[in-house]
Amino acid sequence: MRTTGGKDPIEKAMANTLEQTNTSGEDHTRRPREADGRLRPLKQIRNIGIMAHIDAGKTTTSERMLYYSGRVHKIGEVDAGTAVMDWMEQEQERGITIVSAATTFHWKDHQINIIDTPGHVDFTVEVERSLRVLDGAVGVFCGVAGVQPQSETVWRQARRYRIPCLAFINKMDRKGANFDAAVVSIREKLAVNPIPVQLPLGAEDQFRGVIDLVHMKAIIFSDAEQGAKWEETGVPSEALDAAEAARARLIEVVAESDEAVLEAYMENADVPVPVLKAGLRRAALAQALVPVLCGSSLKNKGIQPLIDAVVDYLPSPIDVPAIIGKKPQNDESIERHADDFEPLSALAFKIAHDSYVGRLYFVRVYSGVLKKGMNVFNPRTRKRERVGRIVRLHANAREDCDALFSGEIGGLVGLKQTSTGDTLCVENDPIVLESIEFPEPVISMSIEPKTQGDKVSLQEALASLAEEDPTFRITMNEDTGQTIISGMGELHLEIIKDRMFREFKVQANAGRPVVAYRESILATAEGNFTFEREIGGHGQFGHVIVRVAPRSRGDGNQVTFEVPTTAIPNEFRQAVKDGLQDALITGILGNYPLIDVDVCVIGGSFHPVDSTEVAFRTAAVMALREGAKAASPALLEPVMDLEVITPDEHLGDLLGDINSRRGQVHEVVAHEGGQIIRATVPLAELFGYATAIRSLSRGRASYSMQPKSFEVVPPTMHEAILNR
């Protein structure tokens, strides 16, 4: 055993602090203990994400944050392909974010770890796994369009992880921008309580700054200095009445959810700024309200106050509940707090393949300290792995460091058998953190190497891409021998192909994208099957009776047992369950997975000598197939929510085109300078829609779509689909 003098500085600091803690007699149960070597104390760390609908200005906002904090010395522009956070060639060419990019900057003695997430629905996995490890988020909304479809999706994702959020209404300089309307759309569409802490100063091309309602001052940004300098003045007289009314409303709303502000309000309606800020922070962390700010990222207005709001109103790692996991031995729930001296617990939430360092693992450390060279334990594989390098992330750049402390986000190099969603911990006190759920792919295409020499390279490239992206799947068609790749949309597969050609230098031929169909049942029925035969001189017997019934769309499959153990003993039940899962995966109409089915094992029998697991597994497969065939099986197709924004003169053409695609128009809403069409359309009818909408509107209309549900395919199309 090494002496204290032989320990590295981190270990020594931890040992010293533990000695002080253990001899002080104080209760440090919930007080975070911090080791030497941290960049900032835990209370001065913010782990945040930037999320929004595509083209709302997320990356532009992130770029300004980096510039004004001094992290970069030149403003990157998305349209010019110079954005630091959009570093992939595909992102720079298309002007969109495809992969989430992480970086760290410092602001007013705080360390802000920020992840810029994609807005396109095809890359929703990047949003999902980023929000899983973040403590807070900034939702960016267009000042003209307000809440758009993907805005709702990412907001729901944030709510699922109970992440406190700020709202930033961007593009206030654009024609048609309406701050009040955007706030109303946040309240109505997101079902939250937004409260403005700023008002815009000026409108459209006259927008020049913001009114800070907390401090009751105007902040006017200098165009000549790219927004790096600003002037703080009193609220202009023409905006004073509106500002005073808005501040009074702010105080009332905060007082409704915070007792300290309410007490101060009862004494004096003009609540002191420190009291108001503290109450606003508590209310925001409790998700009782959402502070709303505004600005124009492209015109460099409103970003510095937004970063101030991140520091003031979003949580540090010690402001959020302790992470809850389970002991791998018995599934008992245990907690880990943001504390450098608790046992290590970290989550690998993303894998990227770097041309310089190889496989790079993005991790969030929840407790303990993750040090270079240490061994970590993976409860899923039950194996130890050694951490070769630790890096701090700055988009696609890396900075080596010796350790990641609790509450921090960084990258690991050297792991071999870790996958997205795996927990990394210490072997003598293991924990399994909740993993990340990913949506199922909805679109597929065949792919094959151009030459025999490309075969191995293609397989390696696909394996690497699938390791990075859990929503990208690779299967083999047993009938044709073709390799089938599946993803979340046309753009998703297009990017996959492009990366194979550019990054992996693989030459391949790709087929036409096809929809990933599903199957389900529309009625209740029973299936009864007895498997009885002799194999290799030994009898095989298994008898299973199941009842199948439809579940509500989106509820998934459920398998239960109502059969007594005298009919099917416990030792065969897992085999029955495995057989039912096999049958659900393969389907009965076109080998598409069965979804939204309730399967209940209601009967069966066994032979005391001849019954085997293989026999029961086979009997379960056949019983489910028999029951499903009698329960009105149906083919399902993915249906998308479609939103189209178009000038008035092209409305008729676009409506006619949607109807021709088997679409259902739900509403047409007047919008600044045009109309918004909201409809549902089968995904199979939307291939090539980007080209069609450009042609019909002469390039003036735009659209967005996101998965809604799986719906029954019209009977007239069944045969055509199944015979493809």
Side-chain angles (χ1 to χ4, degrees), residues 43-101:
K43 66 179 181 180
Q44 292 172 235
I45 292 178
R46 302 291 183 269
N47 294 310
I48 68 164
I50 307 293
M51 60 183 192
H53 185 88
I54 189 170
D55 201 34
K58 300 177 304 302
T59 302
T60 303
T61 302
S62 301
E63 293 294 323
R64 269 58 181 179
M65 287 182 168
L66 296 180
Y67 175 71
Y68 296 129
S69 67
R71 189 67 175 82
V72 298
H73 301 291
K74 181 181 179 182
I75 295 179
E77 298 292 357
V78 174
D79 293 340
T82 59
V84 173
M85 302 298 269
D86 283 351
W87 55 270
M88 290 177 62
E89 291 181 16
Q90 293 84 355
E91 293 176 316
Q92 295 168 355
E93 290 172 354
R94 292 168 173 81
I96 62 172
T97 300
I98 294 172
V99 297
S100 54

Side-chain angles (χ1 to χ4, degrees), residues 600-615:
C600 183
V601 182
I602 59 174
S605 59
F606 76 103
H607 189 281
V609 176
D610 292 343
S611 284
T612 63
E613 291 185 356
V614 172

Side-chain angles (χ1 to χ4, degrees), residues 359 361 378 380-381 383-385 414-419 422 467:
R359 197 181 280 118
Y361 294 84
N378 185 332
R380 181 183 63 83
T381 62
K383 292 184 178 180
R384 283 175 290 180
E385 296 206 63
L415 306 182
K416 303 295 184 185
Q417 298 177 323
T418 298
S419 300
D422 280 357
E467 190 176 39

Side-chain angles (χ1 to χ4, degrees), residues 526-527 544-547 560-564 600-604:
E526 292 185 6
V544 177
I545 305 172
V546 300
R547 180 180 65 242
T560 56
F561 287 80
E562 290 183 0
V563 60
C600 183
V601 182
I602 59 174

Side-chain angles (χ1 to χ4, degrees), residues 262-537:
L262 179 60
E263 291 178 4
Y265 179 69
M266 298 298 291
E267 295 179 3
N268 184 353
D270 187 17
V271 175
V273 170
V275 176
L276 179 58
K277 284 183 69 174
L280 184 56
R281 176 179 177 79
R282 287 189 291 268
L285 297 188
Q287 300 175 63
L289 51 81
V290 176
V292 181
L293 300 93
C294 61
S296 170
S297 298
L298 186 63
K299 296 297 178 65
N300 312 306
K301 294 178 172 66
I303 301 301
Q304 295 92 332
L306 174 61
I307 311 176
D308 286 340
V310 166
V311 169
D312 291 340
Y313 307 127
L314 289 184
S316 72
I318 59 176
D319 293 319
V320 297
I323 191 73
I324 298 176
K326 293 185 176 181
K327 293 183 178 179
Q329 306 93 328
N330 53 21
D331 282 349
E332 177 187 342
S333 293
I334 49 176
E335 290 184 346
R336 290 282 191 269
H337 300 89
D339 187 313
D340 292 343
F341 299 98
E342 286 209 0
L344 172 69
S345 63
L347 187 75
F349 65 95
K350 177 177 175 176
I351 301 173
H353 286 81
D354 187 284
S355 56
Y356 297 103
V357 301
R359 197 181 280 118
L360 178 66
Y361 294 84
F362 290 54
V363 296
R364 160 73 190 263
V365 180
Y366 287 97
S367 63
V369 179
L370 189 58
K371 296 180 291 181
K372 181 173 65 175
M374 76 182 294
N375 288 323
V376 293
F377 181 67
N378 185 332
R380 181 183 63 83
T381 62
R382 301 197 60 79
K383 292 184 178 180
R384 283 175 290 180
E385 296 206 63
R386 186 176 183 276
V387 178
R389 288 175 60 190
I390 298 180
V391 296
R392 297 195 185 278
L393 304 165
H394 180 48
N396 65 329
R398 323 285 180 225
E399 298 173 358
D400 281 283
C401 62
D402 293 326
L404 291 175
F405 299 85
S406 59
E408 293 191 327
I409 293 173
L412 305 184
V413 180
L415 306 182
K416 303 295 184 185
Q417 298 177 323
T418 298
S419 300
T420 301
D422 280 357
T423 302
L424 302 176
C425 57
V426 288
E427 190 170 2
N428 61 353
D429 196 352
I431 183 174
V432 179
L433 302 178
E434 181 184 357
S435 190
I436 308 170
E437 294 185 6
F438 301 110
E440 290 294 315
V442 298
I443 188 171
S444 303
M445 69 175 4
S446 62
I447 193 161
E448 58 187 20
K450 280 191 175 181
T451 67
Q452 192 65 25
D454 288 318
K455 186 174 183 179
V456 174
S457 298
L458 175 63
Q459 292 173 343
E460 292 176 350
L462 292 176
S464 294
L465 291 167
E467 190 176 39
E468 287 186 18
D469 185 351
T471 60
F472 173 59
R473 309 284 173 82
I474 310 162
T475 56
M476 183 69 71
N477 187 313
E478 295 181 359
D479 296 329
T480 65
Q482 284 183 309
T483 299
I484 306 297
I485 59 174
S486 305
M488 301 304 298
E490 275 189 286
L491 181 60
H492 188 194
L493 294 185
E494 181 185 327
I495 296 298
I496 291 289
K497 284 194 304 178
D498 197 48
R499 291 188 62 192
M500 279 195 305
F501 300 153
R502 293 195 194 187
E503 293 179 31
F504 296 92
K505 313 298 182 186
V506 174
Q507 298 300 312
N509 296 318
R512 181 179 179 273
V514 295
V515 170
Y517 292 95
R518 297 290 187 269
E519 299 175 15
S520 193
I521 57 174
L522 306 179
T524 300
E526 292 185 6
N528 186 336
F529 191 86
T530 301
F531 182 84
E532 185 174 13
R533 67 181 60 176
E534 186 173 307
I535 301 176

Side-chain angles (χ1 to χ4, degrees), residues 70-278:
R71 189 67 175 82
V72 298
H73 301 291
K74 181 181 179 182
I75 295 179
E77 298 292 357
V78 174
D79 293 340
T82 59
V84 173
M85 302 298 269
D86 283 351
W87 55 270
M88 290 177 62
E89 291 181 16
Q90 293 84 355
E91 293 176 316
Q92 295 168 355
E93 290 172 354
R94 292 168 173 81
I96 62 172
T97 300
I98 294 172
V99 297
S100 54
T103 191
T104 298
F105 65 87
H106 298 274
W107 183 261
K108 295 185 177 178
D109 210 31
H110 284 70
Q111 175 185 337
I112 300 179
N113 303 315
I114 185 171
I115 298 181
D116 177 32
T117 64
H120 198 286
V121 65
D122 283 16
F123 310 107
T124 187
V125 61
E126 294 288 339
V127 183
E128 184 76 25
R129 58 185 173 189
S130 297
L131 292 176
R132 168 68 176 81
V133 299
L134 294 172
D135 301 323
V138 177
V140 180
F141 302 90
C142 174
V144 180
V147 176
Q148 296 167 280
Q150 188 64 6
S151 306
E152 296 182 63
T153 300
V154 297
W155 200 273
R156 283 197 300 269
Q157 290 172 301
R159 282 302 184 210
R160 184 162 63 249
Y161 294 118
R162 298 196 56 78
I163 294 176
C165 298
L166 301 178
F168 179 66
I169 298 177
N170 191 24
K171 303 187 179 183
M172 290 306 303
D173 60 306
R174 282 186 51 184
K175 183 178 180 181
N178 188 322
F179 179 79
D180 293 334
V183 173
V184 170
S185 71
I186 292 172
R187 177 177 293 108
E188 293 178 349
K189 294 184 178 181
L190 303 182
V192 295
N193 185 17
I195 182 66
V197 295
Q198 292 178 352
L199 293 180
L201 188 56
E204 299 180 343
D205 59 349
Q206 298 300 310
F207 177 72
R208 60 188 189 279
V210 299
I211 298 172
D212 181 342
L213 298 177
V214 175
H215 298 89
M216 277 302 282
K217 63 184 180 183
I219 304 173
I220 302 172
F221 294 88
S222 167
D223 291 326
E225 302 290 338
Q226 290 189 304
K229 293 185 178 180
W230 63 91
E231 178 187 1
E232 294 184 3
T233 68
V235 179
S237 57
E238 67 273 14
L240 189 57
D241 289 345
E244 289 178 342
R247 189 176 196 274
R249 171 65 178 158
L250 170 63
I251 294 172
E252 290 173 5
V253 169
V254 177
E256 288 174 2
S257 59
D258 189 84
E259 291 186 7
V261 176
L262 179 60
E263 291 178 4
Y265 179 69
M266 298 298 291
E267 295 179 3
N268 184 353
D270 187 17
V271 175
V273 170
V275 176
L276 179 58
K277 284 183 69 174

